[in-house]
Amino acid sequence: MSDHIVAEVSEIKDGERILVELKGREIGVFYLDGGYYAFANWCAHQGGPWCEGNLTGTFSGKFDRSTLEYRLDWVKEGRILNCPWHGWEYDIKTGICLSRRSVKLPAYPVRVEDGKIIVTL
Amino acid sequence: MSSERSLSLKKSTIIDVDVHLQIKPAEVAEYIEEPYRSIMTKSHIGNPLPDSGWDRSMAGKIERRQVQGPEDIHQKLCEEFHINHPIINAFGKLGKASMTKLAVSLMKGYNDLVLEKYLDGYDHFYGLISVATQDPEAAAEEIYRVGDEKQFVGVFMDNTGPNPPLGDPRYDVVYRAAEDKGLPISYHAYDSGFIVDFPRQNAALETFFSVHVLTHPYAHMLTMTSLFEHGVPEKFPGLKFIFLEGGVTWLPYMMYRLNKIHSIRRFDAPMLKKTPEEYIRDQFYVSTQPIGEPNNQDDMRKIMEVIGYDRMMFSSDYPHFDFDHPEGLEKFLRVNVPAKDRKRVLETNARGVYGI
């Protein structure tokens, strides 16, 4: 395990990301709502470059059994990453796949020191 | 992308048997005669072979991928995916052509285009011959016309649309031509015509053999898909769903296809909180009759193990013509599965599900 300075904080705006190569691995570093998240650029499905996908919202379904009313809400705008190959959806803040809750992408610790973003790998 | 992937793939030779082109109307128009050329370029409705309105991109979650020409195929498939030999089909959706003569003209145009633009300059590419099944005689002629081209290695038929369906004797002339030229037939469906064409094709089946083979699994596949589209098993987690008289072997295909498409398009079925397989393995059951009859009985054991002995319940369907006598299944289970699993299929699953 070692620390790697990947960028200055000013280099990643809110809702944006950078791709870096650390120890031969492509890593996506995201900045969202004041938090940093780092993942390998490797989708659990077929190895697609998921960190390069579009950030969107997603549908969340709600059902009331007593009234039989069901509603779809568009939620988490800007927080759901869609793998560009097949659209597997992941929540950036957790790395969890929305269609397969047991699938969680390995995340790397990220911290900020003296205005520098540091990923531990 | 990862060098790990590249190293392992580089060791293999890969032939990709289904590579589609996206040929624009104006592009194929250069290969066809008037007045069909003008139909492709001057039609007031835009593309005379319109696609469906279904949004593949899920409101822009994923970008539309395009293949623009042979160099693009070489770059994206051969270089990036390490495909050594793409087998290309024009994917002309000839069944959508509103006029038979337009379809015949396009058929020749697509084949000439594929030959000139894709096969002539790229020795590692192969192609499939497009045929317009609306005119079987013309399709056969076309196979004789271009069938000796070494890089054409098969015939491509789109099977969403042809009516009557493609086993009808009117197509024998096409099959004879393909056999004469030593070319296999590749069938390919497409989503855009399915909703309209499928009922027409069904109505054109001529025997109860066909109707009966298809009715039960199709109806179950449709029902099961609809249940997942709307999240019914998620809405009613205490409910159990039993599919009668379809046999058991259709279930694994649906389970895994639903998994796959749901993971890609959760956008369309967002009520689900789990994979379809998880719901199926918890809430869904199938009855055994009419039990499929593989020539090798061991194949059925393998499929049943995939399904799980907790999902299946014995049924006879007596007195219908394709009833299963319990002796046959009981004997199969006695020989092939442990006693506790045999008892589940014959008795205890039904006791549990129906509360007997």
Side-chain angles (χ1 to χ4, degrees):
Chain A
M1 298 279 274
S2 51
D3 288 343
H4 305 267
I5 297 170
V6 296
E8 306 276 334
V9 288
S10 58
E11 289 175 66
I12 317 180
K13 305 259 182 311
D14 195 40
E16 292 184 356
R17 80 200 81 173
I18 57 166
L19 279 175
V20 295
E21 193 166 318
L22 301 177
K23 292 184 174 174
R25 277 181 252 182
E26 274 189 20
I27 310 287
V29 184
F30 297 81
Y31 181 51
L32 189 65
D33 299 337
Y36 290 93
Y37 308 89
F39 299 95
N41 190 19
W42 186 263
C43 180
H45 178 215
Q46 291 188 357
W50 81 287
C51 289
E52 297 165 35
N54 292 337
L55 278 167
T56 67
T58 194
F59 275 126
S60 169
K62 284 195 176 59
F63 177 63
D64 183 328
R65 197 181 183 285
S66 58
T67 62
L68 299 183
E69 189 183 338
Y70 96 82
R71 205 178 78 215
L72 298 180
D73 298 317
W74 188 252
V75 298
K76 299 186 178 177
E77 183 65 56
R79 182 174 157 180
I80 303 301
L81 194 75
N82 305 272
C83 179
W85 277 7
H86 302 98
W88 274 38
E89 297 176 295
Y90 295 91
D91 187 329
I92 283 290
K93 293 191 179 178
T94 62
I96 290 175
C97 176
L98 302 191
S99 60
R100 295 172 186 250
R101 304 296 167 119
S102 59
V103 172
K104 185 177 175 181
L105 291 178
Y108 303 102
V110 195
R111 67 180 194 278
V112 173
E113 273 178 27
D114 302 329
K116 296 183 188 335
I117 303 164
I118 299 167
V119 174
T120 307
L121 181 69
Chain B
M1 286 302 298
S2 159
S3 51
E4 210 176 301
R5 185 210 310 277
S6 312
L7 282 175
S8 139
L9 281 182
K10 272 178 186 165
K11 288 180 190 160
S12 314
T13 298
I14 303 177
I15 298 173
D16 182 344
V17 302
D18 187 18
V19 175
H20 300 295
L21 302 181
Q22 292 155 310
I23 299 170
K24 294 194 164 60
E27 189 185 351
V28 70
E30 292 172 28
Y31 289 82
I32 64 180
E33 302 292 326
E34 290 291 3
Y36 308 106
R37 173 183 294 196
S38 289
I39 291 177
M40 294 305 284
T41 53
K42 295 177 181 165
S43 166
H44 68 285
I45 55 165
N47 188 347
L49 308 177
D51 203 344
S52 68
W54 298 115
D55 167 35
R56 269 71 166 177
S57 81
M58 300 169 286
K61 278 173 162 289
I62 53 175
E63 305 292 335
R64 187 172 179 214
R65 276 179 291 271
Q66 301 253 30
V67 178
Q68 308 279 11
E71 199 46 43
D72 218 17
I73 288 191
H74 179 76
Q75 186 59 39
K76 286 175 180 156
L77 272 174
C78 302
E79 295 290 333
E80 291 177 27
F81 281 21
H82 302 286
I83 303 294
N84 301 76
H85 302 290
I87 301 183
I88 291 162
N89 55 73
F91 207 57
K93 299 181 178 176
L94 292 176
K96 291 192 84 69
S98 49
M99 306 156 62
T100 297
K101 285 181 176 170
L102 174 64
V104 169
S105 179
L106 282 169
M107 159 178 82
K108 295 175 185 167
Y110 281 128
N111 291 330
D112 288 340
L113 184 157
V114 167
L115 196 56
E116 187 184 308
K117 282 195 173 173
Y118 290 84
L119 304 185
D120 280 353
Y122 295 81
D123 290 345
H124 56 303
F125 286 9
Y126 294 95
L128 301 180
I129 299 168
S130 295
V131 291
T133 49
Q134 294 94 324
D135 186 341
E137 296 287 344
E141 259 177 54
E142 180 68 357
I143 292 170
Y144 290 120
R145 183 177 78 91
V146 294
D148 287 331
E149 296 288 346
K150 283 196 169 52
Q151 283 164 273
F152 272 134
V153 294
V155 174
F156 181 87
M157 286 190 185
D158 79 51
N159 62 1
T160 303
N163 195 19
L166 290 168
D168 190 276
R170 78 178 60 186
Y171 305 110
D172 283 351
V173 63
V174 185
Y175 293 127
R176 183 177 61 191
E179 191 179 56
D180 281 347
K181 291 294 176 191
L183 298 170
I185 309 285
S186 300
Y187 299 101
H188 197 304
Y190 52 85
D191 299 305
S192 44
F194 181 80
I195 289 171
V196 173
D197 288 317
F198 192 64
R200 293 168 55 237
Q201 290 180 305
N202 260 306
L205 294 169
E206 287 196 42
T207 63
F208 192 58
F209 161 82
S210 300
V211 170
H212 189 66
V213 162
L214 295 173
T215 297
H216 295 274
Y218 276 9
H220 287 347
M221 287 175 179
L222 188 91
T223 302
M224 180 176 273
T225 305
S226 174
L227 294 176
F228 282 112
E229 177 184 7
H230 294 287
V232 179
E234 173 64 33
K235 289 162 152 181
F236 304 101
L239 196 56
K240 298 195 185 312
F241 306 89
I242 304 148
F243 289 82
L244 300 175
E245 206 175 337
V248 302
T249 52
W250 64 279
L251 188 62
Y253 175 81
M254 284 303 287
M255 186 155 68
Y256 303 141
R257 183 160 173 84
L258 284 163
N259 269 359
K260 182 170 184 96
I261 306 302
H262 176 248
S263 281
I264 295 172
R265 302 195 64 89
R266 201 193 69 89
F267 182 84
D268 288 332
M271 286 299 290
L272 303 180
K273 301 281 192 288
K274 300 185 287 186
T275 57
E277 180 175 354
E278 287 171 278
Y279 292 104
I280 288 170
R281 294 199 179 281
D282 187 34
Q283 289 169 262
F284 287 64
Y285 299 85
V286 286
S287 74
T288 54
Q289 180 276 342
I291 193 74
E293 296 180 352
N295 290 340
N296 177 359
Q297 215 179 49
D298 195 46
D299 292 347
M300 183 54 71
R301 183 189 58 75
K302 292 177 195 161
I303 294 171
M304 285 185 161
E305 277 180 8
V306 167
I307 295 167
Y309 291 100
D310 57 341
R311 296 295 106 202
M312 299 178 285
M313 300 190 282
F314 172 76
S315 61
S316 74
D317 193 44
Y318 191 78
H320 284 172
F321 76 98
D322 58 345
F323 76 95
D324 281 340
H325 192 284
E327 189 177 337
L329 190 72
E330 198 278 335
K331 186 180 167 197
F332 170 83
L333 294 171
R334 188 150 30 88
V335 173
N336 289 289
V337 307
K340 69 169 174 40
D341 290 328
R342 183 169 79 242
K343 189 175 169 67
R344 286 160 122 181
V345 176
L346 296 176
E347 178 195 346
T348 53
N349 290 341
R351 280 194 187 283
V353 172
Y354 290 105
I356 296 168

